Each structure stands twice: as C-alpha cells, then as structure tokens.
Amino acid sequence: MPSTHKNTKTALLDKIAQKNARIGVIGLGYVGLPLAVAFAEAGFHVTGIDLDPHKIRALKAGQNYIPDVSDVLLKQMRDSGYLQATSDFSALKKLDAVSICVPTPLRKTRDPDISYIVDVTARIKKFLHRGQVVILESTTYPGTTEELLLPELESTGLKVGRDIFLAFSPERIDPGNAKFGLKNTPKIIGGITADCNDVAVQLYGQIVHKVMAVSSSRSAEMVKLLENTFRAVNIGLVNEIALICDKLGINTWEVIEAAATKPFGFMPFYPGPGLGGHCIPIDPHYLSWKLRTMNYTTRFIELASEINHQMPEYVFQKIQHSLNLRKKSVKGAKVLLLGVAYKKNVSDVRESPAYDLAKLLEGSEASLSYSDPYVATWATDKNTYRSQKLSPALLKKADCVVVLTDHDKFDYAQVVRHARLIVDTRNATKKLSQKNVVRL
Ligand SMILES: NC(=O)c1ccc[n+]([C@@H]2O[C@H](COP(=O)([O-])OP(=O)(O)OC[C@H]3O[C@@H](n4cnc5c(N)ncnc54)[C@H](O)[C@@H]3O)[C@@H](O)[C@H]2O)c1
C-alpha cells in the first residue's frame, strides 16, 4: 500500500476514533435527523444539511420535528454546539464524513426517482477533498453507489479507496419501534474497496452496537431490498390468505394466531387495508425496475404488489356490503375513519392506504370524517379534513366506523360500545364484543 494512501486512511480512522472527525448528514428527515443526533450524542461535531428552510429554522431553534428523536436530547445537542444545521453545502469543506439520507421515491410510472441522490452528489463533488468518506444511506437499486456516485466523485481526480472513501449503508430505522432503534439495530456496510469498508465500519461503530461489512456496495444495497421485499411479499401472502379465509368463512386472525404458536419455521405477518409508508410499497419496485432493464420480471414482487394494492378496494367492498345489509347505501353514509397514518403510533401519512380508501368513499359520495391523534389535518385530492376528537357522540353519529390504523391511543372499548357498525381492518377490537364488528 503506498504510504500517502495508508496515511490518508489511518489519519481518518484516528480522527474518528478520537471523535475529532467532523460529521455531516445530508437530508434531515425521518432517517437523517436521528442519525445526526446519534453522532452528536456520541461526542462528534455534526452539521446537518437540508434544503428545507423550515427544518433548518426548527433545528437552529432547538426544536424537534421527528417523533423518534428526544426533544430534550436534540435541544441539548444544539445548545452544546454539537449539532448545527444549515442549507449551505459549502459546510462540506470542513467535514470528514458525510452520510446521505435524501428521499428515493417512485415516479408516477413506478420507476425510481433518484434525482435527489444525483443532486446531492453534484453538490458534494464541489467540496470533495482528500480524506473524506461519503456514505449513501438512501434506499436504492443495486449498483447505484458504484455506477452513479463512484464515477461522479472520481471525476474530481480523487480516487476512491485511496484519497477518499465511499460506501453504502442502508438505514433500517423503524419509526415508532420502542424496542429497536438506531443503536441496537445492526448496521450493514458495503464499501467500494476494503479500505472504504474499514473507514465506514469505524465510523458507524461509534454509534451502533454491531456493524457488519459485506463484500460490496451492491450487496449492501441488495440487503436492504431483500429485507423490504421479504416484508412486502409476506404481507401480500397474508393479505391473500385473508381473502381466502373470507371466502371460506374462516377467521383469518384466529388462524394466524394459532399458526404463530409454532416455535420454528413460521413468522406471523398480518393482513391490513394496504401497504403504506416510504419503504415497503416503494423499495421492491427499485429492484423490479433494475431487473426490467435486464429483461427479467420479478414475479413475486409484482404479484405481492397486485394483491396489496387491491386491499383498499376490498375494504371498500366490506364497507359497502356491511352497509347494504343495514339497508344503507355508501352514498350519503357517514363513514368515520379511525387512523389515517400508515401504521400505528406514528404521524406519517406517506403512501397511507387511507388515501385509496378515501378516494373510493368520496367517489361514492359517502360523508367522510376521520379521527387520528397523530394527524391534525389530512387532505385527499378532493377535500381537506380535520381530525375529530373520538367521543361517544362522534361514534354514535357514524353509520360505519372503519379501524384503519390501530393506534394504541384509541379507546377500543368505547368504539365497540358506541359504534353501530365497525369494519376492523387490524383486529384491534379482538378482545372486545364481536357484535357489529366486521373483520378482514
Ligand atoms: N422513513 C423510514 O422509515 C426509512 C427507513 C429506512 C430507509 N429509509 C430511506 O431513507 C431515505 C430518506 O427517507 P426519509 O424517510 O428520511 O425521508 P424524508 O423525506 O423524511 O427526509 C428527507 C430529507 O431530505 C431533504 N432533501 C431533499 N433533497 C435534498 C437535497 N438535495 N439536499 C439536502 N436535503 C435534501 C428533505 O428536505 C428532507 O428533509 C429514503 O431513501 C428512504 O427510502 C427510510
């Protein structure tokens, strides 16, 4: 190994070990902000970079906006100067390590939109310097780090693995999960070279209990897509089991609960009104897109997606049928949605199946309202709604109450006591009366 190369790497490893490395996190959302706070808490000086002026203003004022981040800790980090925030990318000049946590959504055509990564790479390039490590955390298709970031960064004349270091490390954050957070969820690293791996492992080892390196950035990118495809496909399977059980007149939830007593070879997944959030409905399509460019159809992903996408329609039919049995049409029926966030105990409404169901209900001229303790206002294409406080009067008024998100804050005993008809898509009322409850 040439000595300058060795020195560059050793110097960076030492800086990290001594917590003298200056860290940057680009994109301060659900993934980036907890990461920035974790590095600051570990004793690093961290600069968060985001283009959203509201976020920068909030952070400068010591205000938290991500539920999984502690308000107190964030303020402490801000007050002590360990956490700074800016929209100015020239801050990168002074930074030794940069983690990229920008969005990777889908276009309307279901093709990956990697424009945020492209934009950030171009900005990083301007301030790239010897001895810097760049790590991509945004979920993306296998090959992104090597095919997109590597040539861009090396076009500066700096060589990856010698002058600078580059790796992919998928974020595995599970918003609202009180048991597993950033620190106790093992972190996967896939560097472009072995030296890139060493640097990235050293860096994340400062904030995560267990770091595991794989042989390439492609493998690390694929790890993330396997994890989320695994969930999407298993949810697709269990959603189909729910449709099958419905036809056979069997209680799906009882079947899953009983199957889950098997101590090996079975892992329970649960049906629901459809996929939501920024990961499970989106990430597998990054993989299918990549494979389409290679003339290969990812059959499991396509099938699971088809079934999962049908679920809001299926819930709508349940509502329609249940109202019909009560001599009511959907048109004009008062339908109260409980929970519009995509999953329990979070405020995130991105990709929530509540949108698809609301579209069907609005299209049939139901009179829609919702209650969600985490979401104060919520807009569909047609209307903007304000969350209603759950009360006996509100429940009594509704022709149909639909449990879409099983937030712990809802008083399900109250719901069952006062609602005339409940369509429960989450089995949230399982321990309560069966009367007037229609389940998936
Ligand atoms: N939310 C999750 O649970 C989760 C979990 C694992 C992985 N991921 C992945 O992590 C990535 C980020 O997701 P997120 O949920 O944190 O997104 P987010 O929308 O909450 O945050 C992204 C942030 O990036 C900022 N941003 C956009 N373009 C920028 C630019 N050019 N320069 C600087 N900042 C910019 C946005 O203003 C926003 O604050 C995505 O690839 C996502 O798939 C998300």
Side-chain angles (χ1 to χ4, degrees):
M1 197 189 310
S3 65
T4 46
H5 162 203
K6 201 172 158 203
N7 291 345
T8 307
K9 179 185 159 189
T10 312
L12 184 53
L13 289 177
D14 286 351
K15 264 189 184 177
I16 295 170
Q18 287 157 21
K19 305 207 194 298
N20 290 329
R22 295 196 159 253
I23 315 272
V25 175
I26 303 179
L28 299 168
Y30 287 93
V31 168
L33 188 61
L35 183 68
V37 172
F39 273 120
E41 192 188 8
F44 289 92
H45 280 95
V46 180
T47 305
I49 305 178
D50 202 294
L51 295 181
D52 180 349
H54 301 292
K55 290 199 172 99
I56 299 303
R57 255 201 307 278
L59 293 176
K60 282 189 167 163
Q63 285 162 4
N64 178 31
Y65 50 81
I66 297 287
D68 284 345
V69 171
S70 146
D71 297 354
V72 176
L73 183 60
L74 184 134
K75 194 160 181 316
Q76 268 173 10
M77 294 301 115
R78 195 283 312 244
D79 291 349
S80 59
Y82 279 96
L83 180 65
Q84 294 179 352
T86 181
S87 291
D88 182 359
F89 276 73
S90 71
L92 288 167
K93 276 191 231 165
K94 292 195 179 144
L95 301 180
D96 303 297
V98 190
S99 297
I100 307 171
C101 307
V102 292
T104 44
L106 287 177
R107 297 189 190 282
K108 284 233 171 328
T109 52
R110 300 208 154 269
D111 290 345
D113 176 359
I114 51 162
S115 60
Y116 298 87
I117 299 180
V118 172
D119 177 70
V120 164
T121 307
R123 291 169 190 264
I124 291 176
K125 202 174 118 177
K126 279 197 209 156
F127 303 103
L128 196 66
H129 53 81
R130 186 183 297 277
Q132 206 172 30
V133 53
V134 176
I135 295 153
L136 178 64
E137 292 221 7
S138 304
T139 308
T140 184
Y141 58 82
T144 309
T145 310
E146 207 178 309
E147 292 159 14
L148 203 144
L149 276 83
L150 177 65
E152 269 300 289
L153 298 186
E154 287 199 331
S155 71
T156 56
L158 293 163
K159 179 108 183 93
V160 166
R162 185 189 69 194
D163 309 313
I164 53 169
F165 304 92
L166 175 63
F168 180 80
S169 179
E171 182 46 65
R172 288 168 140 177
I173 211 159
D174 180 19
N177 191 328
K179 196 169 165 202
F180 292 108
L182 189 62
K183 290 179 192 167
N184 62 352
T185 304
K187 194 106 174 85
I188 302 298
I189 304 283
I192 295 291
T193 67
D195 285 330
C196 294
N197 259 355
D198 293 346
V199 171
V201 166
Q202 170 89 320
L203 179 69
Y204 282 99
Q206 308 295 317
I207 54 165
V208 177
H209 300 332
K210 192 171 173 204
V211 183
M212 181 189 168
V214 293
S215 63
S216 66
S217 54
R218 279 171 191 274
S219 283
E221 286 156 344
M222 188 64 197
V223 168
K224 176 72 187 178
L225 294 183
L226 167 61
E227 289 166 9
N228 283 357
T229 300
F230 173 83
R231 278 195 69 75
V233 167
N234 277 290
I235 294 169
L237 170 65
V238 85
N239 275 335
E240 186 166 51
I241 293 291
L243 304 183
I244 291 168
C245 283
D246 191 31
K247 286 192 185 300
L248 295 173
I250 296 168
N251 182 330
T252 319
W253 304 92
E254 184 190 57
V255 172
I256 297 169
E257 212 167 284
T261 60
K262 190 178 175 191
F264 51 88
F266 185 82
M267 181 189 283
F269 282 81
Y270 300 96
L275 295 182
H278 196 39
C279 291
I280 312 298
I282 293 174
D283 300 351
H285 293 286
Y286 269 68
L287 195 54
S288 35
W289 172 83
K290 179 71 181 175
L291 271 296
R292 264 202 313 279
T293 68
M294 302 169 84
N295 243 342
Y296 182 88
T297 306
T298 52
R299 287 160 288 174
F300 273 108
I301 295 175
E302 303 305 331
L303 182 58
S305 171
E306 190 187 315
I307 295 167
N308 291 331
H309 269 100
Q310 278 172 5
M311 294 311 286
E313 174 86 43
Y314 174 66
V315 174
F316 175 73
Q317 282 166 10
K318 279 258 171 219
I319 296 168
Q320 195 174 33
H321 181 65
S322 309
L323 284 169
N324 188 41
L325 292 179
R326 284 159 178 78
K327 300 191 174 64
K328 271 243 149 225
S329 64
V330 175
K331 183 171 175 161
K334 293 187 188 71
V335 179
L336 171 68
L337 305 181
L338 294 192
V340 292
Y342 83 89
K343 72 170 185 176
K344 72 188 286 180
N345 306 337
V346 303
S347 60
D348 194 350
V349 295
R350 292 180 298 179
E351 313 286 326
S352 174
Y355 287 108
D356 292 321
L357 181 63
K359 196 171 177 181
L360 293 165
L361 289 165
E362 286 174 338
S364 293
E365 296 179 34
S367 164
L368 205 58
S369 59
Y370 85 96
S371 176
D372 191 316
Y374 296 92
V375 185
T377 57
W378 181 62
T380 62
D381 288 345
K382 276 197 172 158
N383 295 300
T384 298
Y385 298 92
R386 190 167 281 280
S387 178
Q388 305 290 307
K389 193 170 168 359
L390 200 58
S391 67
L394 184 73
L395 290 161
K396 277 181 193 158
K397 219 167 59 185
D399 295 303
C400 181
V401 175
V402 187
V403 181
L404 273 187
T405 317
D406 47 344
H407 291 312
D408 290 334
K409 284 187 181 172
F410 287 133
D411 178 350
Y412 294 103
Q414 183 190 59
V415 174
V416 167
R417 208 172 315 122
H418 299 290
R420 279 178 273 165
L421 165 65
I422 302 162
V423 173
D424 182 357
T425 69
R426 303 283 189 177
N427 206 24
T429 56
K430 73 172 173 188
K431 292 191 186 119
L432 302 160
S433 148
Q434 303 296 306
K435 214 177 79 194
N436 293 342
V437 181
V438 177
R439 286 173 221 284
L440 277 197

